[in-house]
Amino acid sequence: MNDISHAEFRRRRVRRLKRIIVTAFFIFMTIPLALAIWLGCRLYTTSNELAEITAQYMVQLSITDELNDTLDERSAEADELKDKLNEAYDRMAEMEADNEGSDVQDVRDIGDFKDDGIRHVYLTFDDGPSIYTGKILDILDKYGVKATFFVTGEEAETNPERYRAIVERGHSIGMHSFTHVYSDVYKNKDNFIKDFNKIRDYISETTGVTPEIYRFPGGSSNTVSATDMDELCDYLTDEGIVYFDWNISSGDASHYPLSADRIKRNCLKNVANFDNAVILMHDVSTKGTTVEALPGIIEGILDMEDTEILPITKDTVPIQHRKSKEIE
Ligand SMILES: [Zn+2]
C-alpha cells in the first residue's frame, strides 16, 4: 500500500513539473513573440506616418519654392516700379524748378538797385535750425562768408545751442514765425502778433540779439493766409521790423527731392540778373542735398566779378514781393 501511494505521488510530481515546464516554455515563447508582433505593427504604422509626413514636407517645400519664386518676381517688379517712380520724381522736380524759374522772371524788377557797383548776394536759410545747421555753418566758415537764418521755434525746447551758434559765428538771425503752421500764424492778426512776439522773445532771450528782420512763412506773397497780408506787413513796419522775401529760389522746398546739382543750377542761373540777389534755401532735416549743393553755390557766386556775399541786416535793400509802407 505504501509502495503504491509512493509511486502515485512521484507520477503526480512529474506531471506537475511537466505542466510547470510547459507553462514556463509557453510564457517565455509567447511574450517575446507578442512583443515582436506589436513592435512590428508599430514600425509599420510609424513608417507609414513618416512617409506621409515626408510627402507633406515635400509638398510644402515645393509650395515654398513657388512662393519664393513669386516673391523674387514681385520684388524685381517693385524695384522696376521704384526706378520708374524716381525717374518721374526727377522729371516732376525739374518741371517744378523750371516753373519757379519763370516766377523768378516776374520778380526780376525787384532787386535792381545799383549803388556801389558791387552785386550783393544774400544766402538765406529758412525753417531752421535743424540737424544740418552745424554743417551749414562749417561750410560758410570754410569760405569766410556770412549768411542769414530765418528761424522758427521748432527746435527751441531741445536745441537752443543751435540758435546761439548762428549768432556766435557772425551770421544774421531773423524770424520766420514760431510755429510755421500757416493755419495758426495767419488765422487772424492777433494770432500773428502772438506768434511774432513769441519768436522775437525766444531769439532775444536765447541769443542775446533782438532780431529786426522777418520772413513770412510762404513769403509775403503767399496765397494761403486767412488774414490780409498788407495788414501784417504794416504791423511789422510799425514794430520797426523789415521783412524780406527772395528773388532767387533754390527750389529745395519742392515736394520731390531735388539733386544737389539741380539746386546749385537753380541758385546760380539768375544771380547775374540782379544787383541784389536774395537766394532762398532751407535748413531742414530732409534737405540734405541743399547742404551738399552749398559749396558749389558759394564757389559759383565768388567766381563772379564784382560780387560779394553778405548777411541781411535791417539796412539791406529790402527784396519784397509786396511793397511795405516806409519805416518812420
Ligand atoms: Zn518756411
Side-chain angles (χ1 to χ4, degrees):
M1 181 70 180
N2 254 351
D3 284 346
I4 294 164
S5 54
H6 187 72
E8 179 67 17
F9 177 75
R10 274 182 58 191
R11 265 200 305 279
R12 280 184 192 169
R13 221 174 77 177
V14 168
R15 269 209 301 275
R16 207 164 45 236
L17 268 173
K18 269 187 193 165
R19 260 206 309 276
I20 288 168
I21 288 165
V22 167
T23 309
F25 180 77
F26 184 76
I27 287 169
F28 284 119
M29 282 302 290
T30 318
I31 289 175
L33 193 69
L35 215 60
I37 291 168
W38 181 73
L39 281 175
C41 288
R42 282 289 310 207
L43 192 67
Y44 179 73
T45 50
T46 307
S47 64
N48 272 355
E49 279 169 11
L50 194 67
E52 214 170 286
I53 289 169
T54 311
Q56 277 173 9
Y57 175 72
M58 295 309 284
V59 171
Q60 294 298 334
L61 208 65
S62 74
I63 291 173
T64 309
D65 274 354
E66 236 168 80
L67 279 175
N68 273 340
D69 285 350
T70 316
L71 203 65
D72 282 350
E73 268 169 46
R74 290 283 177 278
S75 73
E77 278 169 20
D79 280 350
E80 217 172 285
L81 277 174
K82 216 159 78 181
D83 284 349
K84 276 187 189 153
L85 197 67
N86 279 339
E87 263 171 50
Y89 270 172
D90 272 355
R91 273 203 300 277
M92 284 164 92
E94 221 156 287
M95 278 158 68
E96 206 173 287
D98 287 345
N99 279 338
E100 274 176 14
S102 60
D103 285 346
V104 168
Q105 305 300 317
D106 299 336
V107 293
R108 187 171 288 186
D109 59 318
I110 63 171
D112 252 345
F113 308 88
K114 233 185 186 85
D115 43 12
D116 51 6
I118 303 282
R119 175 181 297 108
H120 302 145
V121 181
Y122 304 90
L123 305 174
T124 69
F125 297 92
D126 282 12
D127 299 1
S130 78
I131 52 163
Y132 287 128
T133 308
K135 269 190 187 173
I136 293 171
L137 293 174
D138 287 346
I139 295 169
L140 295 169
D141 272 358
K142 188 184 157 200
Y143 291 95
V145 297
K146 302 298 179 200
T148 305
F149 292 78
F150 289 104
V151 299
T152 68
E154 208 183 335
E155 302 282 304
E157 291 278 308
T158 43
N159 296 300
E161 70 282 356
R162 289 180 180 158
Y163 298 83
R164 281 193 281 273
I166 292 169
V167 171
E168 280 162 11
R169 289 164 81 167
H171 304 281
S172 284
I173 194 161
M175 299 164 276
H176 189 46
S177 83
F178 195 91
T179 66
H180 203 278
V181 177
Y182 289 20
S183 56
D184 183 49
V185 176
Y186 293 135
K187 191 176 178 191
N188 53 50
K189 195 175 168 184
D190 281 349
N191 269 33
F192 179 82
I193 293 171
K194 231 181 276 168
D195 180 275
F196 164 80
N197 282 320
K198 201 171 171 191
I199 188 66
R200 178 159 69 174
D201 291 349
Y202 178 74
I203 294 172
S204 170
E205 282 159 20
T206 312
T207 68
V209 170
T210 302
E212 297 177 301
I213 53 176
Y214 192 96
R215 173 167 285 157
F216 288 103
S220 68
S221 56
N222 81 80
T223 52
V224 293
S225 175
T227 310
D228 181 3
M229 287 302 293
D230 281 335
E231 238 183 89
L232 304 183
C233 292
D234 289 348
Y235 171 78
L236 291 183
T237 306
D238 291 343
E239 286 289 311
I241 304 295
V242 185
Y243 71 88
F244 285 83
D245 290 309
W246 58 91
N247 46 18
I248 292 177
S249 171
S250 67
D252 68 351
S254 152
H255 294 107
Y256 318 104
L258 290 197
S259 67
D261 192 51
R262 164 59 67 175
I263 290 171
K264 188 180 112 180
R265 273 183 288 149
N266 286 345
C267 289
L268 295 180
K269 70 180 173 190
N270 286 313
V271 172
N273 295 329
F274 300 105
D275 296 319
N276 292 282
V278 176
I279 302 180
L280 170 69
M281 288 177 276
H282 290 85
D283 172 12
V284 179
S285 63
T286 51
K287 308 288 178 196
T289 49
T290 303
V291 184
E292 231 177 278
L294 189 56
I297 294 168
I298 296 171
E299 283 167 23
I301 296 166
L302 294 179
D303 278 349
M304 298 172 78
E305 271 178 34
D306 302 325
T307 301
E308 59 181 348
I309 297 175
L310 295 169
I312 290 178
T313 70
K314 200 180 168 185
D315 301 320
T316 299
V317 172
I319 302 300
Q320 297 170 335
H321 297 164
R322 172 189 298 270
K323 285 279 149 244
S324 65
K325 68 178 187 182
E326 291 296 312
I327 298 177
E328 286 110 32

